Amino acid sequence: MQVPLVDLAAQYRSIQPEIDRAIQRILDRTAFILGDEVRDFEAAFAAYVDAEGAVGVSSGTAAIELSLRAIGLQPGDEVITTAHTFIATAEAISNAGGRPVFVDVEPDTFNLDPNRVEALVTDRTRVILPVHLYGHPADLTALMEIAQRRGLYLIEDAAQAVGAEIDGRRCGSIGHLACFSFYPGKNLGAYGDAGAVTSDDQELLDRIRRMRDHGRTTKYEHVEIGYAERIDALQAAVLAAKLPHLEAWTEARRAHARRYGELLQDLPVTPPVERDGVRHVYHLYVVRSSHRDALLEHLKANGVAAGIHYPIPLHRQPAYAGLGYEEMSLPETERAAAEVLSLPMYPELTEEQLQHICGGVRSFAA
Ligand SMILES: *Cc1c(COP(=O)(O)O)cnc(C)c1O
C-alpha cells in the first residue's frame, strides 16, 4: 500500500463537476482579474472567518508582506515571530524592511511562547507575528494582551489554520490582521498560488486592497506606489466552489487525528496536543520521535510518505547567515526541528491507510 503525505487528486475527484463548472464559468466570462468572482469569494471567506472583511492576494507570503506594509512598517522595525515555521513568515518581514526577532516555541504546541515575548520588546518593536502552526492556534489571548499593553500590532500567520478556533472564535478574527494561504496543499487549497488578508479594520483592508493593485483608487489614478499582488479570478472561483466543503473536510481531518491517537497509543511517539478550548484543524499531523530520521526512512520503505516541517530552524538557514542570528540559541525550536515528523493527513484518508501508517510506526518500534 502507498500512502502519500497529501492527496489532492482524491479531493478533485470528489468535487470534479463543481470545480469544472467554476473554471468553465471564468473561461466563458473571460474576466480574469478581480471583478465579481473575487468580490464574492472575499465576502464568503470573511463570513467564514467571522471577520469584517477579506482581501484576496496572490499568495500567503504576499498577504504577510502587504499586511506589514499596510501598518506602516519602517526599515529596521522589529517583528517578534517564531523560527519554527515555513520561511515565508520571516521572508515577508525581511522583504517589508523589518527585522525578524525570533522567540522560542512552546514544546507541546510548537507555537510562539507568549511567556518569552515581553523580554524581547524594544522601542523598535512594532508587531507580534505568531504562526498557528500545523493548524493549532497560537495563544492569542496572552499575545493580544501583550500587544495591546505595549502598543503593538498583532498579525496572525493563519496560513495553516483556516477554521481553527480559540474559545469559539475563529483564527483570522482575533488579531489586527490575519494572513491566509491557499497554496494547493493547504486546508483550503487553490489550483495555483493565492492568499488572503482578513481584518475588522476597514482602513487597513482598503489600504491592502489598493496596494495589491498598483496603488490604484480608480482605473487611472494611483495614490501610492503599489504592487501586482492580486488573487486570480480563476483561483477565487475554485476557492468559492471549495469553501462550502471546508467544514466537512476539517471534521474529517479531526476524526483522522482522533483515530491516529488511538492507533498510536503505547507507541514511542508523542502525538500532537489540542489545548482546552481550542479547535485544531490538523493541516499537518505532527508527532515527535527521538529517532525521527530512522522512523522516516522505515515508513518510506513501507510506502508511507511522511515529511518534516521543518528540519532547519530559520535562525540556522543560510538565507539568514551574517545577520546576527548565529549566536542565538532557541533550545525548544532546535529540539523540535530534530524530532518532528508529519504523518500523512488529508480528509480522504481511509481507515486501511491509517492502520497501514500506524502499523509502520509499530513495526519500527519493535
Ligand atoms: C504556506 C505558508 C505560508 C506562505 O504561503 P504561500 O501561499 O505559499 O505564499 C506562510 N506561512 C506559513 C506558516 C505557511 O505554512
Side-chain angles (χ1 to χ4, degrees):
M1 182 185 281
Q2 298 289 320
V3 189
L5 187 60
V6 295
D7 188 346
L8 300 183
Q11 188 185 76
Y12 174 54
R13 282 194 299 272
S14 75
I15 52 167
Q16 183 167 359
E18 293 155 69
I19 295 287
D20 291 359
R21 257 199 316 276
I23 292 174
Q24 189 59 49
R25 191 174 69 234
I26 300 294
L27 298 180
D28 291 340
R29 289 183 178 175
T30 58
F32 298 112
I33 303 293
L34 297 177
D36 293 348
E37 296 285 343
V38 168
R39 238 186 342 262
D40 291 351
F41 170 66
E42 287 172 338
F45 189 67
Y48 178 83
V49 168
D50 198 21
E52 286 292 316
V55 179
V57 294
S58 57
S59 69
T61 310
I64 304 171
E65 188 175 334
L66 292 177
S67 293
L68 291 166
R69 292 188 185 279
I71 62 109
L73 197 79
Q74 297 300 311
D77 281 352
E78 295 175 356
V79 179
I80 296 176
T81 192
T82 162
H84 184 60
T85 177
F86 181 52
I87 194 166
T89 313
E91 200 172 43
I93 297 168
S94 301
N95 285 334
R99 177 173 175 81
V101 174
F102 297 122
V103 58
D104 212 354
V105 294
E106 302 171 324
D108 57 345
T109 66
F110 302 101
N111 282 327
L112 192 155
D113 184 346
N115 294 318
R116 299 174 196 263
V117 166
E118 200 138 18
L120 297 174
V121 175
T122 71
D123 54 7
R124 292 310 307 266
T125 309
R126 296 288 311 285
V127 180
I128 304 174
L129 206 164
V131 178
H132 305 305
L133 200 69
Y134 310 144
H136 188 296
D139 186 350
L140 290 190
T141 311
L143 293 170
M144 268 310 267
E145 192 277 316
I146 299 170
Q148 269 157 358
R149 192 156 38 74
R150 305 300 297 256
L152 308 173
Y153 283 99
L154 191 141
I155 300 178
E156 303 172 51
D157 180 341
Q160 303 189 359
V162 66
E165 294 173 7
I166 306 166
D167 298 328
R169 296 176 73 196
R170 286 262 155 97
C171 288
S173 72
I174 302 171
H176 298 98
L177 290 158
C179 306
F180 289 88
S181 166
F182 307 123
Y183 185 82
K186 296 283 160 70
N187 288 22
L188 179 62
Y191 285 1
D193 277 310
V197 179
T198 59
S199 179
D200 290 341
D201 187 324
Q202 289 296 349
E203 235 169 276
L204 287 176
L205 290 174
D206 286 345
R207 178 113 207 264
I208 293 168
R209 199 172 287 115
R210 203 165 66 211
M211 281 194 304
R212 76 174 169 183
D213 191 26
H214 305 288
R216 183 181 264 151
T217 45
T218 62
K219 188 165 167 58
Y220 295 114
E221 188 188 50
H222 306 267
V223 295
E224 65 181 322
I225 297 172
Y227 303 85
E229 301 282 15
R230 299 165 298 228
I231 190 173
D232 281 347
L234 203 62
Q235 301 307 338
V238 168
L239 291 164
K242 282 187 166 199
L243 188 58
H245 298 281
L246 182 58
E247 280 304 284
W249 289 333
T250 300
E251 285 307 316
R253 288 175 184 272
R254 290 174 52 73
H256 299 331
R258 284 193 292 276
R259 188 69 183 127
Y260 262 128
E262 293 163 7
L263 293 168
L264 294 174
Q265 225 172 23
D266 314 322
L267 294 178
V269 294
T270 310
V273 298
E274 182 164 335
R275 291 232 180 122
D276 285 348
V278 150
R279 184 194 198 205
H280 192 327
V281 295
Y282 295 99
H283 170 56
L284 294 166
Y285 186 86
V286 177
V287 300
R288 271 185 194 269
S289 163
S290 45
H291 304 280
R292 191 268 313 276
D293 293 335
L295 174 55
L296 177 68
E297 284 310 307
H298 178 81
L299 289 174
K300 197 153 94 183
N302 284 277
V304 175
I308 302 176
H309 302 87
Y310 299 85
I312 307 175
L314 300 186
H315 65 299
R316 296 282 178 262
Q317 284 288 355
Y320 279 98
L323 296 172
Y325 297 105
E326 279 84 356
E327 302 302 310
M328 172 167 220
S329 144
L330 299 169
E332 290 298 344
T333 296
E334 287 152 32
R335 192 165 69 86
E339 294 185 356
V340 292
L341 183 70
S342 309
L343 298 179
M345 175 55 89
Y346 48 90
E348 298 78 11
L349 266 180
T350 65
E351 171 67 19
E352 293 66 38
Q353 288 174 314
L354 284 162
Q355 289 194 13
H356 181 72
I357 298 158
C358 297
V361 178
R362 185 170 299 278
S363 60
F364 177 75

